[in-house]
């Protein structure tokens, strides 16, 4: 199952109301449901938060710079300042996460969601590097309203035995050199909707095996 609306431009109403349904965690009515992460908080780094929070936690990242270098082995939702904005809408200051390349089997949980963050590959678009890889325990991996850039292979899901799905919704994608989604086994569905792929900067690696999807 592949649904694609690439290159879609947000409507005026979407841009005008893009941030209307997002507030920092401390302003949420149920703020106790979120773990706030950033300078001055109990967890100042994303990796520390992922190690310390309970399974099923919702993490709210303050604007700033973070690194993701660990295996995600808990069900977790990670939010940033641009949660739920349209793909081409103006964005607030980012929670910018540099994702370490080639951390094998780093998505080891049934439900992992990134919403409203910037994800940057540590090795860049035209250098070898795989950023999100599944295990037999992997389930849903979702990216919503994320700015994705500077990666060779964004998602590689090829493990037998896993019943996995990938959702890319309202994302802005640039500088992905070879594969946005690479799957040969284990995938139940790939859903790409309401997203923008920059054709001028993506797919810059040319060989017989290369394909963005």
């Amino acid at each position: 199952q592949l649904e694609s609306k690439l290159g879609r431009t947000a409507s005026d109403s979407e841009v005008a109301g893009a941030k209307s349904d997002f507030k920092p965690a401390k302003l949420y009515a149920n703020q106790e449901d979120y773990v706030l992460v950033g300078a001055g908080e109990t967890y100042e780094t994303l990796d520390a938060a992922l190690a310390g929070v309970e399974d099923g936690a919702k993490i709210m990242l303050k604007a700033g710079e973070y690194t993701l270098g660990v295996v995600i082995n808990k069900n977790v939702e990670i939010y940033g300042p641009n949660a739920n904005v349209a793909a081409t809408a103006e964005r607030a200051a980012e929670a910018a996460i540099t994702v370490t390349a080639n951390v094998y089997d780093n998505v080891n949980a049934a439900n992992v969601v990134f919403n409203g963050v910037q994800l940057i590959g540590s090795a860049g678009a035209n250098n070898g590097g795989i950023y999100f890889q599944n295990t037999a325990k992997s389930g849903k991996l979702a990216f919503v309203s994320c700015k994705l850039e500077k990666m060779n292979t964004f998602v590689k899901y090829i493990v037998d035995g896993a019943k996995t799905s990938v959702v890319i919704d309202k994302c802005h994608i640039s500088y992905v050199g070879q594969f946005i989604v690479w799957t040969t086994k284990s995938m139940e569905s790939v859903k790409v909707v309401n997203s923008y792929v920059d054709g001028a900067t993506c797919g810059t690696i040319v060989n017989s095996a290369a394909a963005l999807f």
Side-chain angles (χ1 to χ4, degrees):
Q1 176 187 2
L2 177 61
E3 299 179 25
S4 181
K5 296 180 182 178
L6 305 182
R8 176 182 177 277
T9 301
S11 67
D12 291 341
S13 61
E14 284 178 311
V15 173
K19 302 186 183 70
S20 61
D21 57 351
F22 176 78
K23 298 177 182 177
K26 288 184 176 178
L27 299 181
Y28 271 78
N30 298 319
Q31 69 181 64
E32 66 275 7
D33 292 340
Y34 295 82
V35 178
L36 191 60
V37 174
E41 303 300 332
T42 300
Y43 300 111
E44 295 196 343
T45 70
L46 176 56
D47 282 356
L50 288 170
V53 300
E54 296 181 357
D55 184 70
K58 296 179 180 179
I59 292 172
M60 186 72 69
L61 298 178
K62 297 164 66 172
E65 296 184 357
Y66 301 88
T67 297
L68 175 59
V70 299
V71 172
I72 302 172
N73 54 19
K74 301 170 183 176
N75 298 313
V76 66
E77 298 178 15
I78 301 169
Y79 294 86
N82 292 293
N84 300 323
V85 304
T88 56
E90 181 180 355
R91 297 174 69 89
E94 297 283 359
I97 303 171
T98 297
V99 185
T100 304
N102 301 322
V103 179
Y104 295 103
D105 303 333
N106 63 336
V107 182
N108 189 40
N111 185 62
V112 176
V113 178
F114 293 86
N115 190 334
V117 300
Q118 182 180 18
L119 296 168
I120 306 164
S122 64
N126 294 319
N127 300 305
I130 300 167
Y131 291 92
F132 292 95
Q133 302 181 59
N134 69 329
T135 71
K137 294 182 180 179
S138 301
K140 176 184 175 182
L141 175 63
F143 303 92
V144 182
S145 298
C146 291
K147 189 174 182 182
L148 314 172
E149 59 186 52
K150 299 180 181 177
M151 303 181 187
N152 178 64
T153 299
F154 177 47
V155 173
K156 181 181 179 182
Y157 269 29
I158 62 170
V159 174
D160 275 330
K163 294 184 180 297
T164 58
S165 64
V166 171
V167 176
I168 299 174
D169 182 14
K170 296 190 289 290
C171 290
H172 188 286
I173 304 171
S174 61
Y175 295 98
V176 174
Q178 194 164 11
F179 299 102
I180 296 173
V181 177
W182 172 6
T183 179
T184 58
K185 304 173 182 177
S186 78
M187 187 68 72
E188 289 197 333
S189 66
V190 178
K191 186 176 182 180
V192 182
V193 293
N194 305 316
S195 293
Y196 178 86
V197 175
D198 183 1
T201 62
C202 290
T204 51
I205 295 177
V206 179
N207 60 50
S208 60
L212 288 176
F213 294 95

